[in-house]
Amino acid sequence: MMRTATTIEGSAGNWRELTEYVVEAERLGLDICWVAEAWGADAPSPLGYLAARTERILLGSGVIQLGTRTPVVIAQTAMTLAHLSGGRFLLGLGASGPQVIEGLHGVSFARPLRRMRETVQIIRAACTGGKISFTGDRFAIPLPGGEGRPMRLSLPPTSVPLYLAALSPKMLELTGEIADGWLGTSFVPEGAAAYFTHLDTGLARAGRTRADLDVCQGAEINIVADEHQLTEVLATRKRELAFSLGGMGSASTNFYNDAYSRQGWSDVAAAIRTHWQAGDRAAATALVTDDMVLATTLIGTEPMLRTRLQTWSDTGVDTVRLYPAGNTMRDRLDNLGRGIDLVRAIPAREK
């Protein structure tokens, strides 16, 4: 049976409502809550608080961004949260993009693939409780030529499941090779080969199979009553997708645009990006089709979503990360609860 997850982020700062939302989501039977980190609130702080307010639900960083902390600080954070939560923490890592890493943090975005591989190696070494000694292309611990000596963390050793957020082919291969799970987005089941071909290459390189990887895919869920309401919802969602394809990343790097391009929309994705970068938001939005939205979301009537979720399961998705729509917390929880019920009704798939 597929598991269910959701993601919260604290840019709005309404922590009381967010906490109530997560507590209620746990009561509804949600399996995992991921906490996002972009250019707003950090992820570890609310994760520690949520660990104290929940009992069963798994809690994950979705994601901690490379370059914003040293690998050992990430390891310390992960181990601390694992102990605080009683073993319920999942470490999600992502490379982010140059706009955030260089524009906000003042850290070079160069060679994210190598940085990710070495970061994971250092984190896993630190979690074992041994002395940390590492020499790579991006990191050297201890720093050569100084007075430092290999040290171990004083925290008790612990195993932390590690997920990578990946969209590019090489990062997908790395995910299959070294990660416990894949955090994906912009996922189209009919175009899943654009992702799974690279994931499977990495899995084979490490002597693993798909059964060794939790495929965690996310999508907005908005359960509508009829076709009229569906048309209204699609109109709103098109501008958000236009922003993802045209405004996310930088003028030369947009992983969302690349992902849509690899799944059959290369021409329209390029045109959307051109119009958005030129400042013509309306023209960019007008190019987004209904199919582009429906293919990568869980928007529709209940019968539509039952069929769609079955396709997700048949394609190989293990965990559905639901982003419930709604103007109020009650609306969002209603969408989430109904989504959880729909996922639970999908027959279990052999991995």
Side-chain angles (χ1 to χ4, degrees):
M1 180 182 297
M2 289 191 293
R3 296 191 299 178
T4 56
T6 195
T7 297
I8 65 167
E9 59 94 15
S11 295
N14 192 345
W15 294 113
R16 177 176 294 180
E17 181 174 297
L18 284 173
T19 302
E20 291 175 1
Y21 171 82
V22 175
V23 170
E24 182 63 16
E26 180 179 51
R27 191 192 67 79
L28 291 170
L30 190 78
D31 297 304
I32 308 168
C33 178
W34 297 94
V35 178
E37 177 178 283
W39 47 88
D42 75 299
S45 298
L47 282 165
Y49 185 67
L50 290 172
R53 293 293 308 274
T54 56
E55 298 178 357
R56 175 196 55 80
I57 196 170
L58 297 175
L59 300 166
S61 57
V63 294
I64 286 177
Q65 302 161 311
L66 296 188
T68 61
R69 304 162 179 84
T70 68
V72 173
V73 169
I74 296 175
Q76 288 177 295
T77 301
M79 294 172 74
T80 301
L81 288 168
H83 289 301
L84 278 174
S85 64
R88 292 186 288 132
F89 177 66
L90 309 174
L91 175 59
L93 297 175
S96 189
Q99 193 173 47
V100 173
I101 299 303
E102 296 185 356
L104 182 62
H105 296 285
V107 177
S108 173
F109 185 70
R111 304 195 69 188
L113 189 71
R114 172 55 59 179
R115 183 185 292 272
M116 180 69 83
R117 181 183 290 276
E118 294 188 8
T119 295
V120 171
Q121 290 175 321
I122 295 167
I123 289 170
R124 287 201 162 131
C127 288
T128 66
K131 290 185 177 181
I132 305 167
S133 180
F134 182 86
T135 301
D137 293 336
R138 311 304 295 172
F139 301 102
I141 304 172
L143 194 66
E147 299 182 10
R149 295 292 182 268
M151 297 175 60
R152 60 170 54 89
L153 298 179
S154 60
L155 288 162
T158 185
S159 178
V160 178
L162 194 147
Y163 287 63
L164 298 188
L167 288 174
S168 68
K170 291 298 183 182
M171 195 66 80
L172 287 165
E173 287 186 21
L174 184 66
T175 301
E177 182 182 350
I178 68 173
D180 299 300
W182 169 44
L183 295 174
T185 187
S186 306
F187 181 75
V188 180
E190 294 79 4
Y195 297 114
F196 287 134
T197 297
H198 305 294
L199 285 170
D200 290 342
T201 296
L203 287 165
R205 184 183 299 149
R208 306 199 304 161
T209 68
R210 198 82 65 77
D212 299 307
L213 188 74
D214 179 23
V215 175
C216 180
Q217 273 300 326
E220 176 183 342
I221 183 166
N222 194 342
I223 304 173
V224 301
D226 50 37
E227 292 292 330
H228 176 71
Q229 188 179 5
L230 177 60
T231 300
E232 294 178 345
V233 170
L234 289 175
T236 300
R237 189 65 182 81
K238 285 178 180 180
R239 180 173 176 81
E240 297 171 7
L241 182 53
F243 167 69
S244 294
L245 299 180
M248 290 291 284
S250 66
S252 61
T253 304
N254 185 319
F255 297 122
Y256 297 96
N257 193 290
D258 293 344
Y260 269 80
S261 296
R262 288 194 298 272
Q263 294 180 105
W265 287 292
S266 57
D267 291 342
V268 66
I272 290 170
R273 184 176 184 174
T274 298
H275 284 299
W276 192 278
Q277 293 290 328
D280 194 346
R281 309 312 198 229
T285 301
L287 290 172
V288 179
T289 66
D290 289 357
D291 286 345
M292 291 177 71
V293 176
L294 292 173
T296 54
T297 64
L298 293 168
I299 297 174
T301 61
E302 283 200 10
M304 289 172 63
L305 296 194
R306 287 192 195 97
T307 301
R308 199 64 185 153
L309 285 167
Q310 184 65 64
T311 301
W312 277 46
S313 177
D314 293 343
T315 302
V317 174
D318 302 301
T319 302
V320 182
R321 198 164 70 254
L322 302 169
Y323 307 132
N327 293 323
T328 67
M329 185 175 73
R330 181 49 51 191
D331 290 339
R332 292 190 292 275
L333 284 170
D334 180 63
N335 260 316
L336 182 64
R338 294 170 70 188
I340 291 170
D341 290 341
L342 287 171
V343 173
R344 284 175 174 168
I346 302 299
R349 183 192 78 251
E350 292 288 335
K351 284 203 74 173

